[in-house]
């Protein structure tokens, strides 16, 4: 694996647009990533801020990661702002996507659900925030990076999962292997330490889950990482273990708020996270 780079080294290029051929008229791409990029481009032209998140976003950030080449059957996860919700809904419907009207009426203030009938492919659209085990807002950060959410948000989307699984761990490790840590976002080219530590220094629950998951990532590297898990066809740009250590040092060194300190006294005796709810869909 490559040598770790110091914080602030943002030599990584910003996520690049993936050139795609247009699908046939009135049809969508079979490749979910190509289709997601097409939709984001169309939203861009309409003046809407829409960004990719979820597993496909990690593929964009780590295009040489061979473990993530197979994309068939994947859902599309997108993020947008509340002010763009109505116009983006109209855009998706105009492209042939079917809205889950009942779900969207109930939860459309924070999440929308569509299906591409061509491939029976779900499309989730988060509005302004991600809310699972923990919550973070991204509505004012969509312009930082293109076509994905900023790297810090992508990493946080994995590190907020209390019952983190192998796929989440590998996504996080791949991102840490290919993206430098820096004080800020560096125009979407780096994992912003200030963004991450802002959450972990003000919310003890965030701190508890993130630091616990960083320990799980380190343990996974030591005991469970297979040779092909982080295969990029070359040396990784950064040593993920060193990056984890540097991130943990930044989290520990950050001054904690009074709210954080008060909650820390309670510790694990009270649940510090939410259990994500599964909601069914039916148009």
């Amino acid at each position: 694996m490559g040598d770790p780079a110091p914080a602030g080294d943002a030599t990584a290029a910003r996520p690049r647009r993936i050139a795609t051929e247009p699908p046939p008229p009135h049809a969508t791409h079979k490749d979910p990533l190509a289709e997601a990029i097409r939709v984001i481009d169309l939203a861009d032209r309409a003046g809407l801020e829409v960004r990719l998140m979820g597993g496909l976003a990690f593929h964009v950030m780590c295009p040489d990661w061979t473990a993530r080449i197979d994309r068939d059957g994947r859902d599309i996860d997108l993020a947008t702002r509340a002010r763009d919700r109505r116009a983006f809904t109209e855009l998706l419907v105009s492209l042939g996507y079917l809205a889950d009207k009942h779900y969207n009426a109930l939860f459309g203030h924070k999440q929308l659900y569509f299906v591409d009938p061509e491939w029976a492919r779900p499309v989730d659209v988060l509005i302004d925030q991600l809310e699972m085990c923990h919550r973070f807002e991204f509505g004012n950060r969509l312009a930082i990076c293109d076509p994905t959410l900023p790297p810090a948000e992508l990493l946080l989307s994995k590190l907020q999962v209390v019952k983190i699984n192998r796929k989440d761990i590998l996504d996080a490790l791949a991102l840490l292997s290919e993206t430098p840590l820096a004080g800020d976002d560096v125009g979407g080219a780096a994992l912003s330490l200030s963004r991450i530590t802002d959450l972990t220094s003000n919310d003890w629950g965030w701190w508890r889950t993130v630091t616990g998951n960083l320990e799980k990532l380190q343990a996974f590297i030591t005991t469970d990482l297979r040779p092909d898990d982080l295969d990029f066809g070359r040396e990784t740009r950064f040593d993920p273990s060193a990056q984890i250590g540097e991130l943990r040092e930044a989290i520990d060194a950050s001054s904690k708020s009074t709210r954080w300190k008060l909650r820390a006294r309670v510790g694990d005796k009270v649940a510090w996270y939410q259990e994500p709810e599964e909601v069914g869909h039916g148009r």
Side-chain angles (χ1 to χ4, degrees), residues 4 7 42 67 75 103 124 140 151 176 179 182 214 220 235 246 251-252:
L42 291 171
D75 298 353
Y103 180 90
D124 276 297
N140 64 345
L176 286 162
T179 311
L214 290 177
F220 184 90
E235 290 291 308
E246 186 177 340
I251 290 171
D252 290 345

Side-chain angles (χ1 to χ4, degrees), residues 120-140:
R121 181 167 55 214
V123 177
D124 276 297
V125 183
L126 295 189
I127 312 295
D128 279 342
Q129 64 181 18
L130 178 146
E131 186 174 3
M132 293 177 64
C133 297
H134 298 279
R135 183 177 67 86
F136 66 78
E137 297 180 357
F138 54 69
N140 64 345

Side-chain angles (χ1 to χ4, degrees), residues 15-23 28-45 48 50-53 56-61 63 71 75-78 88 91-92 95 97 121 123 145-149:
R16 61 178 182 267
R17 286 283 189 179
I18 297 175
T20 61
E21 292 295 324
T28 55
H29 282 288
K30 179 180 180 181
D31 179 351
L33 180 54
E35 177 62 12
I37 297 300
R38 182 179 80 101
V39 169
I40 291 169
D41 280 337
L42 291 171
D44 247 2
R45 294 175 200 172
L48 311 177
V50 178
R51 295 294 180 262
L52 185 62
M53 58 188 302
L56 292 176
F58 287 82
H59 185 92
V60 173
M61 295 296 300
R71 300 192 292 266
D75 298 353
I76 294 176
D77 298 301
L78 300 171
F88 187 50
L91 173 62
L92 287 176
L95 295 174
Y97 286 88
R121 181 167 55 214
V123 177
C145 193
D146 178 21
T148 71
L149 282 180

Side-chain angles (χ1 to χ4, degrees), residues 144-170:
I144 291 171
C145 193
D146 178 21
T148 71
L149 282 180
E153 269 74 10
L154 294 180
L155 184 61
L156 288 166
S157 73
K158 299 300 178 179
L159 296 184
Q160 61 84 29
V161 179
V162 173
K163 298 175 183 177
I164 195 168
N165 59 31
R166 177 183 175 83
K167 177 184 175 299
D168 293 328
I169 288 173
L170 287 176

Side-chain angles (χ1 to χ4, degrees), residues 7 152 181-184 191-198 246-247 250 254:
L181 296 168
D184 59 27
L191 288 156
S192 170
L193 290 172
S194 62
R195 172 60 170 150
I196 296 170
T197 58
D198 181 60
E246 186 177 340
L247 176 54
S254 297

